[in-house]
Amino acid sequence: PSPKSFQPNGASKEALRCEIEELKQKDLALDQEIAQLLSEGYSLEELDKHISLLHEYNEIKDAGQMLLGKLAVIRGVTTKQLYPEYDLELSD
């Protein structure tokens, strides 16, 4: 096949343009948010550490959810039914 056969059609090109524009807007919003946090006295190192800790928390929470799910299957109940047994809030 020729390289031209791999070119997106007009509709796909327009969709890509829209996606690129959305990503540019998200990038701008994130830059503004970072600038706001810096102006409030946060340092980039502090923000990086906070983000790292959030990732770690989410990984631990995901592992806990997976274990609760497996336990729920073994017991034949829903995960939600296990929350009170382990003093968990539904928002946890």
Side-chain angles (χ1 to χ4, degrees):
S2 71
K4 189 158 184 102
S5 66
F6 292 109
Q7 298 298 317
N9 62 30
S12 295
K13 285 182 182 179
E14 186 57 34
L16 287 173
R17 281 190 196 102
C18 287
E19 187 175 348
I20 289 169
E21 188 57 37
E22 287 175 15
L23 289 172
K24 285 180 181 179
Q25 292 300 319
K26 286 180 183 179
D27 184 49
L28 179 61
L30 288 171
D31 285 344
Q32 290 172 341
E33 190 175 341
I34 290 169
Q36 174 68 33
L37 290 168
L38 291 174
S39 74
E40 292 173 5
Y42 294 96
S43 70
L44 288 177
E45 294 80 19
E46 186 178 9
L47 294 173
D48 285 341
K49 179 66 175 172
H50 186 72
I51 290 169
S52 176
L53 289 171
L54 283 172
H55 283 297
E56 184 178 347
Y57 167 81
N58 284 328
E59 288 173 5
I60 292 168
K61 183 178 176 182
D62 289 345
Q65 288 292 331
M66 197 170 23
L67 289 172
L68 274 177
K70 289 179 185 268
L71 183 58
V73 168
I74 291 168
R75 291 189 181 177
V77 298
T78 66
T79 304
K80 183 178 177 178
Q81 291 171 310
L82 294 176
Y83 273 57
E85 184 177 338
Y86 295 98
D87 295 322
L88 298 172
E89 299 290 327
L90 288 177
S91 61
D92 285 344

